[in-house]
Amino acid sequence: MAGRGTGPDFVEALARGLDVLTCFDAHRPEMTLADVASATGLARPTARRLLLTLEELGYVRTNEARFALTPRVLRLGAAYAASLGLWDMARPHLEALVARTGESSSMTQLDGSDVVYVARVAVPKIIALRVDIGTRFPAVPTSQGKVLLAALDPDARAAALAEPTRSGLPQPEHDPDALEAELRTVRARGWALADEELARGIRSIAVPVRDGDGVVRAAMNVTVHAAETSVETLTGEYLPWLMQTASDVAADWALWQARPQVGG
């Protein structure tokens, strides 16, 4: 647990909530209620109330009595992430890719059945949908969502797809068998295409971004106007550059993970 304050304005409930958020880490990405209570030193009823509150606020999700953080937690560390972390590592690579293609590029992570944008370099072109850091879209009709869903095991994928979208867009309908077949193809070839599936006129291609352990942590894409750029250009010209960029980000990520840890 975090060190406790002694001032008259110290809010113990807030401190306990932060204890719950910070007890999750790379070694414990999912925890049961008992795990959280043990890690934080809180009574189980208190830990449960805090977890359910954080779930209602969108910072925690639950699946079969196991809890995990959601990408919304990134908002709490936005200032820090601006100077260190995924965005800081990805930015120069995304900027180089955008300079080469003349098209926008983004990175997303999966949150339930949605993708959440965590990094983006855009070009001044009019597109049908506004995209900013934190924007959510249903995963199924996006190239990045297909990549991220394909990286999950069947149970995790089913659980993700069972969650309702929180993007504000209609829940996308899909044929489960057709989607599974498409995701098998995505896993086999290492990239995904979305051709005007999310919105008319938007075409994109995406690849996975892996950490130092080879785990898919994010997806990276190039987005174009369908009327301006063909599928052949996307797959033949932009895809090799995109794959190299994702590899470069993964290499930097591996170095960041391997940095010496300072004990305290």
Side-chain angles (χ1 to χ4, degrees), residues 232-261:
E232 290 73 23
T233 297
L234 265 181
T235 58
E237 183 176 344
Y238 295 168
L239 178 58
W241 296 340
L242 177 61
M243 295 181 79
Q244 182 59 57
T245 302
S247 178
D248 292 341
V249 172
D252 283 357
W253 203 336
L255 289 174
W256 186 80
Q257 284 182 296
R259 73 200 188 284
Q261 300 293 318

Side-chain angles (χ1 to χ4, degrees), residues 6-7 9 13 20 45 59 68-69 94 123 134-135 145 158 161 181 205-206 210-212 224 249:
T6 57
D9 297 320
V20 169
Y59 293 108
L69 300 182
L94 286 175
V123 296
T135 293
L161 291 172
I205 196 166
R210 302 177 185 273
D211 65 12
V224 301
V249 172

